[in-house]
Structure formats: C-alpha cells, structure tokens
Amino acid sequence: MRHPAPRVHLSPSGPRVSVIIPAMNEARNLPWLARRMPAGLHEIVLVDGRSVDDTVAVARSLWPGLRVLTQTRRGKGNALACGFHAATGDLIVMIDADGSMDPGEIPYFVAALEAGADYVKGSRFVAGAGSTDITRLRATGNRALNLLTNWSHGSRYTDLCYGYNAFWRRILPVLGLDDGQAADSADSAESNRKRWGDGFEIETLINIRAHVARLRIAEIASFESSRLHGRSNLNATSDGLRVLRTIAVEYRAARRRGSASRANRGRAATTTAAPAAVAATFAAPSTPLPVPVPIPVQPSTDAVPVRRPEGERSLSNSTAQAGGSPA
C-alpha cells in the first residue's frame, strides 16, 4: 500500500532546490516518481549507473531540461557524490528512483531547512512515519547499528540507514565525499572499483559527519513503500558490514581530530606572547560554516513531523514550519 503525502508545491520565491536521483535500470519506476514530483524545483539531476534498460531515455521524456550524469565508479554512494558536486541549487535533496520514497514529501524537507536546519533526515521510526518495505532482519540490523552509532558518537538518530535526506549545498565540503575523476569512468578497471563511501554505507557516512561537524540536524517523518518494479541491489549482510566498518572508521577519525584539536588548543595557550604569525596558526578559520537560527526541537521519543498543509498549494518561507528531534 502506498501512502502519498498531500500534494504541496514549492514557492518560486524560495531557495533553489536540486533533486539528485541515483538510478540503475529503473525505467519502469520513473513515471510514478515524475507524477509525484512537486512543481517549483530548480533542477533534477539523474545520475545513471550505466543502466542497460531505457532509464535515461525514459527520464529525458518525463523531465524536460533534465540533467543526466554517468557516475564515475560503482555504487550508490559514488552516484550521489557525483550528483551532489554537480548540483547548482541552494538545497540538495537525495531520493531513490525505485518508488519507495514519495517525492511529495520534498516540500517538508525544504520547510525544515528553511526553518533553520543545516541537514534534514527522513526517518521511518518517528511519529507519523512507517515502512512497508523494511524486513524484520533489516529492521533489527538498522536498530543495532543505530544504537551503536548513537552510543559511540553521541548522536540521537532514530533511523541511521534511510536515504531520504536533504541539506544546504554550502555544507557539502563538511561531508568530504569523493565524486571521482573523469579518468575513473574512462578506465574500465577503475570504473568498476568501489572505493570507501561508494556503496550503501553513504547514508551512514553522511549522518556521522554531519553530527561530528555539529551541524543543526532535524528529523522528519517519512513513509517508505516497497519498490515498484525490479530488485534491490542492497545486500543486508555485506552492506551491513560496510556500515559497521563505517561507524568504526569514522569513530577513530573523530577521536584523532579531537585529540589534534585539544593539542592545538594546548599549544595556543602557551604562545600568548608569540609573534602574530605564530598566533595566527591557531586562529579560527576565516570563513566558518554559517550557523542558521535554531529550530524548535523536542525529545527524540516524541518527534513531531513537519506540519503538512492540506490541498494543492505552495509552501513558502512564511508558511514553513518544522519539527523533529536533533540528531
């Protein structure tokens, strides 16, 4: 059963929104996605994973002005990184092409970003959310990985491995994603290689780095349906192990950065009388990440989804309201 969100369009006066769709052999699913896509988007970027069906041709027929990229290597993570770096909008929304995520929810992600969040996570496990796709095995694994991440990193996520997320394009450097080089796709051996972050661990990688960077994070309710056609490329065991490795690697990296930061502060404290050139070594960056106004938050156990207006209308800055829990 599909649970489409109430139809809401984006305001032309709002921020420019880029939607990134990684797709491999999803030609049969794209028409439903196109019917649910809200009006008022700045651009749609489809990143093709070397499909052998009519994915690209169908996508071009559905969305005039569509931008199509071919990913440089293999894996969903690489496809998303390619799309992120090519985006030209103010906001970036990542959504799957299989029909499991409703594009009608995009305006509510945008509303939460406009309300002050840097990064907005869709969650299947807060009030008003749900899933008809996740299996008992995957739900158990997701819960265990979620608890491990929250314990090790001090975050408060409710849904670690869900890939319906959105963020301001300005935070892209913080995520540190490798989109590859043109030479990667030209070299058949390199294009078939899957590097760190190129697989389904991409959602976990983004979530952890957003938290470690102390971005303002909001979760909103999202409903996940079963994919419409075709089979998923997700492997619960192998991809679960990649996620587990991601948590461990990012934990060690965060600890190393924390130790280096403490050491730098210690050295800076002993050089108060040092020349300006030495003192500048320990100064704050000249262009820090912009910090928007805080958004109202509630405890994660009582997360409230973004208010969803009824009927066909636009969502503007003045009507955007967000809720949820900080991660």
Side-chain angles (χ1 to χ4, degrees):
M1 181 180 296
R2 313 200 74 75
H3 295 255
R7 191 70 168 168
V8 176
H9 297 302
L10 298 172
S11 169
S13 61
R16 299 173 304 164
V17 179
S18 297
V19 176
I20 311 301
I21 309 175
M24 185 171 70
N25 301 327
E26 301 286 5
R28 297 172 65 194
N29 297 322
L30 295 178
W32 182 87
L33 207 70
R35 287 195 299 271
R36 293 297 305 166
M37 199 66 71
L41 296 172
H42 169 63
E43 65 181 355
I44 297 175
V45 181
L46 185 132
V47 187
D48 180 52
R50 300 180 181 84
S51 298
V52 295
D53 67 357
D54 294 329
T55 291
V56 173
V58 169
R60 289 189 189 279
S61 69
L62 292 168
W63 291 297
L66 173 76
R67 296 180 60 197
V68 177
L69 308 175
T70 299
Q71 65 180 98
T72 55
R73 295 190 297 269
R74 290 178 57 244
K76 179 182 180 181
N78 172 252
L80 284 171
C82 291
F84 293 165
H85 284 276
T88 60
D90 306 305
L91 308 180
I92 294 176
V93 179
M94 49 192 277
I95 185 172
D96 290 352
D98 60 5
S100 62
M101 302 168 182
D102 182 8
E105 294 180 356
I106 288 176
Y108 311 117
F109 285 84
V110 173
L113 290 168
E114 289 186 284
D118 296 311
Y119 175 65
V120 179
K121 261 199 60 50
S123 173
R124 298 163 291 184
F125 304 117
V126 296
S131 174
T132 56
D133 180 64
I134 192 168
T135 64
R136 184 174 299 179
L137 174 63
R138 285 172 52 211
T140 301
N142 185 70
R143 190 178 301 112
L145 294 169
N146 202 88
L147 289 172
L148 178 60
T149 299
N150 288 343
W151 173 79
S152 59
H153 290 276
S155 55
R156 286 192 285 165
Y157 288 119
T158 64
D159 194 354
L160 183 69
C161 300
Y162 190 44
Y164 202 171
N165 308 311
F167 53 89
W168 290 94
R169 185 163 61 96
R170 66 179 179 236
I171 76 163
L172 194 54
V174 169
L175 304 181
L177 302 177
D178 174 24
D179 61 333
Q181 305 294 326
D184 292 347
S185 53
D187 184 339
S188 59
E190 187 63 28
S191 65
N192 287 324
R193 181 183 174 190
K194 188 183 288 186
R195 293 185 182 177
W196 182 244
D198 279 359
F200 283 98
E201 71 275 10
I202 184 65
E203 289 99 354
T204 300
L205 192 68
I206 292 174
N207 292 336
I208 292 176
R209 290 182 178 176
H211 169 75
V212 170
R214 298 182 179 181
L215 301 181
R216 297 188 186 278
I217 302 171
E219 286 187 332
I220 66 170
S222 179
F223 192 93
E224 177 191 41
S225 302
S226 303
R227 78 163 22 246
L228 287 170
H229 304 285
R231 298 179 59 183
S232 171
N233 293 311
L234 176 70
N235 182 292
T237 302
S238 61
D239 289 309
L241 291 174
R242 288 180 72 93
V243 170
L244 186 62
R245 182 188 170 203
T246 300
I247 296 169
V249 169
E250 292 299 309
Y251 175 72
R252 290 195 296 268
R255 285 181 63 87
R256 284 196 300 270
R257 286 193 293 269
S259 298
S261 178
R262 287 191 294 273
N264 283 347
R265 286 197 299 268
R267 287 195 295 270
T270 63
T271 57
T272 52
V278 176
T281 305
F282 305 102
S286 57
T287 55
L289 188 71
V291 179
V293 245
I295 60 174
V297 297
Q298 297 182 8
S300 58
T301 54
D302 297 313
V304 178
V306 171
R307 180 176 298 172
R308 296 182 171 184
E310 295 294 337
E312 294 267 352
R313 66 190 190 89
S314 295
L315 193 67
S316 64
N317 294 354
S318 60
T319 61
Q321 297 191 24
S325 60

PDB file of all heavy atoms in Angstrom, residues 212-225:
ATOM      1  N   VAL A 212      29.273  15.022  13.616  1.00  0.00           N
ATOM      2  CA  VAL A 212      30.607  15.387  14.104  1.00  0.00           C
ATOM      3  C   VAL A 212      30.906  16.850  13.803  1.00  0.00           C
ATOM      4  O   VAL A 212      31.566  17.536  14.586  1.00  0.00           O
ATOM      5  CB  VAL A 212      31.673  14.458  13.473  1.00  0.00           C
ATOM      6  CG1 VAL A 212      33.083  14.970  13.764  1.00  0.00           C
ATOM      7  CG2 VAL A 212      31.515  13.033  13.999  1.00  0.00           C
ATOM      8  N   ALA A 213      30.408  17.367  12.680  1.00  0.00           N
ATOM      9  CA  ALA A 213      30.626  18.770  12.308  1.00  0.00           C
ATOM     10  C   ALA A 213      29.722  19.727  13.086  1.00  0.00           C
ATOM     11  O   ALA A 213      29.784  20.932  12.890  1.00  0.00           O
ATOM     12  CB  ALA A 213      30.397  18.951  10.811  1.00  0.00           C
ATOM     13  N   ARG A 214      28.878  19.170  13.962  1.00  0.00           N
ATOM     14  CA  ARG A 214      27.978  19.959  14.800  1.00  0.00           C
ATOM     15  C   ARG A 214      27.005  20.800  13.976  1.00  0.00           C
ATOM     16  O   ARG A 214      26.692  21.948  14.312  1.00  0.00           O
ATOM     17  CB  ARG A 214      28.764  20.847  15.769  1.00  0.00           C
ATOM     18  CG  ARG A 214      29.618  20.051  16.745  1.00  0.00           C
ATOM     19  CD  ARG A 214      30.337  20.945  17.718  1.00  0.00           C
ATOM     20  NE  ARG A 214      31.131  20.155  18.660  1.00  0.00           N
ATOM     21  CZ  ARG A 214      31.861  20.675  19.648  1.00  0.00           C
ATOM     22  NH1 ARG A 214      31.894  22.000  19.802  1.00  0.00           N
ATOM     23  NH2 ARG A 214      32.547  19.900  20.458  1.00  0.00           N
ATOM     24  N   LEU A 215      26.541  20.214  12.888  1.00  0.00           N
ATOM     25  CA  LEU A 215      25.512  20.876  12.102  1.00  0.00           C
ATOM     26  C   LEU A 215      24.183  20.803  12.839  1.00  0.00           C
ATOM     27  O   LEU A 215      23.976  19.936  13.688  1.00  0.00           O
ATOM     28  CB  LEU A 215      25.376  20.192  10.737  1.00  0.00           C
ATOM     29  CG  LEU A 215      26.623  20.141   9.854  1.00  0.00           C
ATOM     30  CD1 LEU A 215      26.294  19.464   8.537  1.00  0.00           C
ATOM     31  CD2 LEU A 215      27.188  21.539   9.611  1.00  0.00           C
ATOM     32  N   ARG A 216      23.285  21.713  12.502  1.00  0.00           N
ATOM     33  CA  ARG A 216      21.944  21.668  13.066  1.00  0.00           C
ATOM     34  C   ARG A 216      21.148  20.639  12.263  1.00  0.00           C
ATOM     35  O   ARG A 216      20.915  20.823  11.076  1.00  0.00           O
ATOM     36  CB  ARG A 216      21.288  23.046  12.998  1.00  0.00           C
ATOM     37  CG  ARG A 216      22.024  24.090  13.834  1.00  0.00           C
ATOM     38  CD  ARG A 216      21.234  25.380  13.889  1.00  0.00           C
ATOM     39  NE  ARG A 216      21.986  26.411  14.561  1.00  0.00           N
ATOM     40  CZ  ARG A 216      22.056  26.551  15.884  1.00  0.00           C
ATOM     41  NH1 ARG A 216      21.395  25.700  16.659  1.00  0.00           N
ATOM     42  NH2 ARG A 216      22.764  27.509  16.425  1.00  0.00           N
ATOM     43  N   ILE A 217      20.732  19.568  12.943  1.00  0.00           N
ATOM     44  CA  ILE A 217      20.115  18.429  12.282  1.00  0.00           C
ATOM     45  C   ILE A 217      18.677  18.262  12.758  1.00  0.00           C
ATOM     46  O   ILE A 217      18.405  18.355  13.955  1.00  0.00           O
ATOM     47  CB  ILE A 217      20.910  17.133  12.568  1.00  0.00           C
ATOM     48  CG1 ILE A 217      22.358  17.294  12.094  1.00  0.00           C
ATOM     49  CG2 ILE A 217      20.245  15.938  11.899  1.00  0.00           C
ATOM     50  CD1 ILE A 217      23.273  16.169  12.528  1.00  0.00           C
ATOM     51  N   ALA A 218      17.773  18.027  11.829  1.00  0.00           N
ATOM     52  CA  ALA A 218      16.375  17.768  12.170  1.00  0.00           C
ATOM     53  C   ALA A 218      15.946  16.467  11.505  1.00  0.00           C
ATOM     54  O   ALA A 218      16.394  16.150  10.398  1.00  0.00           O
ATOM     55  CB  ALA A 218      15.485  18.918  11.716  1.00  0.00           C
ATOM     56  N   GLU A 219      15.087  15.728  12.178  1.00  0.00           N
ATOM     57  CA  GLU A 219      14.486  14.535  11.599  1.00  0.00           C
ATOM     58  C   GLU A 219      13.014  14.809  11.323  1.00  0.00           C
ATOM     59  O   GLU A 219      12.341  15.453  12.140  1.00  0.00           O
ATOM     60  CB  GLU A 219      14.610  13.334  12.538  1.00  0.00           C
ATOM     61  CG  GLU A 219      16.010  12.750  12.602  1.00  0.00           C
ATOM     62  CD  GLU A 219      16.035  11.453  13.403  1.00  0.00           C
ATOM     63  OE1 GLU A 219      15.174  11.298  14.301  1.00  0.00           O
ATOM     64  OE2 GLU A 219      16.905  10.612  13.138  1.00  0.00           O
ATOM     65  N   ILE A 220      12.511  14.338  10.185  1.00  0.00           N
ATOM     66  CA  ILE A 220      11.087  14.472   9.900  1.00  0.00           C
ATOM     67  C   ILE A 220      10.543  13.100   9.506  1.00  0.00           C
ATOM     68  O   ILE A 220      11.271  12.229   9.032  1.00  0.00           O
ATOM     69  CB  ILE A 220      10.802  15.506   8.788  1.00  0.00           C
ATOM     70  CG1 ILE A 220      11.354  15.036   7.443  1.00  0.00           C
ATOM     71  CG2 ILE A 220      11.363  16.862   9.143  1.00  0.00           C
ATOM     72  CD1 ILE A 220      10.900  15.901   6.286  1.00  0.00           C
ATOM     73  N   ALA A 221       9.242  12.927   9.722  1.00  0.00           N
ATOM     74  CA  ALA A 221       8.603  11.655   9.408  1.00  0.00           C
ATOM     75  C   ALA A 221       8.565  11.415   7.906  1.00  0.00           C
ATOM     76  O   ALA A 221       8.272  12.315   7.122  1.00  0.00           O
ATOM     77  CB  ALA A 221       7.190  11.632   9.972  1.00  0.00           C
ATOM     78  N   SER A 222       8.863  10.178   7.513  1.00  0.00           N
ATOM     79  CA  SER A 222       8.814   9.805   6.104  1.00  0.00           C
ATOM     80  C   SER A 222       8.256   8.388   6.005  1.00  0.00           C
ATOM     81  O   SER A 222       8.527   7.554   6.866  1.00  0.00           O
ATOM     82  CB  SER A 222      10.209   9.870   5.482  1.00  0.00           C
ATOM     83  OG  SER A 222      10.180   9.487   4.116  1.00  0.00           O
ATOM     84  N   PHE A 223       7.477   8.132   4.963  1.00  0.00           N
ATOM     85  CA  PHE A 223       6.930   6.794   4.771  1.00  0.00           C
ATOM     86  C   PHE A 223       7.629   6.114   3.601  1.00  0.00           C
ATOM     87  O   PHE A 223       7.703   6.663   2.501  1.00  0.00           O
ATOM     88  CB  PHE A 223       5.420   6.829   4.523  1.00  0.00           C
ATOM     89  CG  PHE A 223       4.793   5.466   4.617  1.00  0.00           C
ATOM     90  CD1 PHE A 223       4.267   5.014   5.810  1.00  0.00           C
ATOM     91  CD2 PHE A 223       4.774   4.616   3.514  1.00  0.00           C
ATOM     92  CE1 PHE A 223       3.727   3.740   5.915  1.00  0.00           C
ATOM     93  CE2 PHE A 223       4.235   3.348   3.609  1.00  0.00           C
ATOM     94  CZ  PHE A 223       3.701   2.905   4.810  1.00  0.00           C
ATOM     95  N   GLU A 224       8.142   4.915   3.856  1.00  0.00           N
ATOM     96  CA  GLU A 224       8.837   4.136   2.831  1.00  0.00           C
ATOM     97  C   GLU A 224       7.920   3.017   2.333  1.00  0.00           C
ATOM     98  O   GLU A 224       7.431   2.214   3.127  1.00  0.00           O
ATOM     99  CB  GLU A 224      10.116   3.538   3.412  1.00  0.00           C
ATOM    100  CG  GLU A 224      10.871   2.664   2.436  1.00  0.00           C
ATOM    101  CD  GLU A 224      11.992   1.877   3.098  1.00  0.00           C
ATOM    102  OE1 GLU A 224      11.785   1.366   4.224  1.00  0.00           O
ATOM    103  OE2 GLU A 224      13.061   1.764   2.492  1.00  0.00           O
ATOM    104  N   SER A 225       7.697   2.967   1.030  1.00  0.00           N
ATOM    105  CA  SER A 225       6.921   1.896   0.415  1.00  0.00           C
ATOM    106  C   SER A 225       7.866   0.861  -0.193  1.00  0.00           C
ATOM    107  O   SER A 225       9.075   1.093  -0.311  1.00  0.00           O
ATOM    108  CB  SER A 225       6.016   2.453  -0.680  1.00  0.00           C
ATOM    109  OG  SER A 225       5.140   3.430  -0.158  1.00  0.00           O
TER     110      SER A 225
END
